[in-house]
Amino acid sequence: MTAQEIRQRFLDFFESKGHKIVASSPIVSKNDPTLLFTNAGMNQFKDFFLGNKVPEFRRIADTQKCLRVSGKHNDLEEVGRDGYHHTMFEMLGNWSFGNYFKAEAIAWAWELLTKEYGLDPDRIYVSVFQGDESENLAPDDEARELWKKWLPEDRILPFSKKDNFWEMGDTGPCGPCSEIHVDLRPESQRSSRDARELVNIGDPLVVEIWNLVFIQFNRRADGKLEELPEKHVDTGMGFERLTMALQAKNSSYETDIFQPYIRFIEQVSGKKYTNSYAPDAMSDIAMRVLCDHIRAVSFAIADGQLPSNTGAGYVIRRILRRAVRYYYSFLDLREPFLFRLIPLLADAFAHVFPELKAQTGLVASVIQGRSNPSSTPSKTACDAWKAFRRPKA
Ligand code: GLY
């Protein structure tokens, strides 16, 4: 399956289960002062969970542009060094607002992964919340019992609040969660070490792909949990990781989501990508950084966040600078380069996030370090590089 087919199949599956398919909200958080960027699919539905607004549809699904570069969820420094962290990623999600709960969320996740997508059930491990005395939270025995219908008990693993109690930020809707992990190692490695020992320890081939959150609480500003009047489901599946699993790759950068950019960077830089994760494989790391960061920066700009010296704009500027530093230092590219990836990116997303294609010229121009799209580029590569590096007063 191509990545495009994988995304569409997710949406079709949940539509067939009575979900309304909605558009992604902008990647830049507009209406929530607790966030700079959208860090999860559920952000746009926060008021439905809290009971402040009544949703028109009780079941919703979508693919959401997310950015995890600040606050509680920040993966920036991981990006490039491994094959499964991203700053900008797509989160496939299905939601129930006071409608179905754990039984359906778990049964449908299993059906989609094993029947629709054909993932090998023997390679799936799940985690459940083990409870937390300090918060007076009981273990999630209900989720454990429900998973037993599909999985042997020794592949249902208890984890603490750190891994299995999901919160979007310091405050807001939250609850125990059950994560689905896939063992993507070759058979030879599988027989030498049980994947149960590798869940949640950062193994690059035993990765979490889907998080099923059972929203039951609101974390208040004073740190206390208050029970919500209704129970909700909030799931988030990493599209790039799912594609890596379904296309049987050892890295999401090997999927058809990222390969076109890698080929283009190879062509322009004259360097070969070797899919190496050695800490000193600097040109490979740089190529992954560029493929990732161009997405983050482009979608942030397309959604209205220009690079700047404060707040969200400063975060975008730092990502841009990180990308420039990598191509300048490790790919020997001396001319402004990132903006050349934008037409590829805009075409790849034209059918799903058309806002980038609609603003290709503006986004490219901003990424070249200028804000006027109609001006003729006149800066030399060195000037552009210095401008990125120079902290403004
Ligand atoms: N809201 C679920 C997740 O982001 O994992």
Side-chain angles (χ1 to χ4, degrees):
M1 262 184 275
T2 63
Q4 203 165 314
E5 288 163 349
I6 291 167
R7 183 194 292 111
Q8 194 56 48
R9 197 168 285 204
F10 178 92
L11 299 173
D12 292 346
F13 177 82
F14 280 104
E15 194 168 36
S16 80
K17 305 288 184 196
H19 290 65
K20 172 77 179 168
I21 308 303
V22 302
S24 170
S25 65
I27 202 166
V28 181
S29 180
K30 306 259 195 230
N31 302 318
D32 187 341
T34 70
L35 292 174
L36 290 180
F37 300 102
T38 298
N39 68 7
M42 55 75 74
N43 296 166
Q44 66 166 314
F45 308 121
K46 187 172 163 182
D47 280 336
F48 299 158
F49 293 126
L50 296 178
N52 298 336
K53 284 190 187 156
V54 179
E56 191 183 346
F57 304 98
R58 292 267 168 194
R59 298 179 180 189
I60 279 181
D62 73 9
T63 181
Q64 170 69 49
K65 294 172 286 185
C66 294
L67 193 55
R68 290 196 169 173
V69 289
S70 57
K72 194 172 183 71
H73 301 278
N74 186 348
D75 292 329
L76 181 60
E77 292 308 321
E78 260 64 68
V79 171
R81 307 206 165 268
D82 65 31
Y84 63 104
H85 278 101
H86 301 284
T87 55
M88 184 254 168
F89 65 99
E90 277 183 68
M91 185 178 278
L92 302 168
N94 58 292
W95 290 274
S96 153
F97 308 112
N99 188 252
Y100 62 84
F101 201 44
K102 295 180 190 179
E104 293 88 341
I106 287 174
W108 289 339
W110 187 259
E111 182 185 340
L112 178 62
L113 291 179
T114 60
K115 307 275 181 330
E116 287 284 319
Y117 286 137
L119 267 185
D120 178 356
D122 283 343
R123 287 176 174 265
I124 295 178
Y125 296 74
V126 299
S127 62
V128 291
F129 180 52
Q130 70 181 25
D132 187 277
E133 275 182 22
S134 67
E135 301 252 30
N136 204 16
L137 295 168
D140 194 349
D141 293 332
E142 189 186 353
R144 165 182 290 284
E145 286 306 310
L146 288 163
W147 277 119
K148 273 161 67 177
K149 187 164 175 199
W150 315 105
L151 281 167
E153 205 162 353
D154 64 358
R155 282 198 274 137
I156 306 169
L157 310 169
F159 278 92
S160 72
K161 196 172 88 169
K162 177 179 153 290
D163 291 299
N164 277 73
F165 190 87
W166 196 84
E167 310 196 41
M168 62 178 273
D170 293 335
T171 61
C174 53
C177 59
S178 195
E179 295 176 338
I180 301 174
H181 299 252
V182 197
D183 180 5
L184 300 174
R185 294 172 302 159
E187 285 302 336
S188 55
Q189 284 181 28
R190 293 189 76 206
S191 48
S192 66
R193 193 160 174 202
D194 196 316
R196 278 177 303 176
E197 297 167 25
L198 301 174
V199 167
N200 278 338
I201 63 161
D203 187 286
L205 292 178
V206 180
V207 290
E208 177 209 336
I209 55 169
W210 202 349
N211 190 11
L212 315 182
V213 185
F214 309 118
I215 301 262
Q216 285 158 259
F217 303 99
N218 178 33
R219 175 80 68 189
R220 299 189 323 206
D222 65 4
K224 298 239 162 51
L225 288 177
E226 70 186 358
E227 195 133 354
L228 293 170
E230 287 193 295
K231 294 185 165 85
H232 313 277
V233 169
D234 154 33
T235 89
M237 175 144 63
F239 171 62
E240 296 76 7
R241 291 185 187 183
L242 173 68
T243 304
M244 165 183 165
L246 298 181
Q247 294 183 354
K249 304 292 186 189
N250 71 354
S251 159
S252 57
Y253 295 92
E254 288 293 290
T255 67
D256 62 343
I257 301 174
F258 290 102
Q259 278 294 300
Y261 315 118
I262 294 199
R263 298 282 87 88
F264 183 73
I265 300 167
E266 279 184 319
Q267 204 183 316
V268 175
S269 68
K271 295 193 188 291
K272 184 101 193 88
Y273 182 71
T274 64
N275 192 26
S276 169
Y277 294 87
D280 60 352
M282 294 317 293
S283 61
D284 279 12
I285 293 173
M287 289 192 200
R288 291 190 288 269
V289 164
L290 300 196
C291 292
D292 173 276
H293 288 14
I294 187 63
R295 297 176 7 133
V297 172
S298 300
F299 279 109
I301 296 171
D303 282 346
Q305 184 56 66
L306 298 181
S308 73
N309 292 334
T310 54
Y314 185 61
V315 176
I316 297 305
R317 183 161 170 247
R318 274 181 44 219
I319 300 172
L320 194 51
R321 286 168 61 183
R322 188 171 189 259
V324 174
R325 194 168 64 237
Y326 269 92
Y327 75 64
Y328 188 91
S329 305
F330 305 115
L331 297 175
D332 300 331
L333 293 171
R334 295 291 184 263
E335 298 293 324
F337 170 70
L338 273 181
F339 76 100
R340 293 176 64 186
L341 290 166
I342 291 172
L344 276 177
L345 192 60
D347 283 344
F349 282 103
H351 62 289
V352 51
F353 305 132
E355 56 277 15
L356 187 56
K357 182 109 182 155
Q359 303 175 81
T360 305
L362 168 75
V363 173
S365 173
V366 171
I367 289 178
Q368 273 187 289
R370 48 189 62 246
S371 54
N372 179 358
S374 62
S375 66
T376 317
S378 59
K379 278 178 184 255
T380 64
C382 262
D383 283 343
W385 167 239
K386 281 182 205 146
F388 284 124
R389 296 184 64 191
R390 191 185 320 123
K392 294 217 176 90

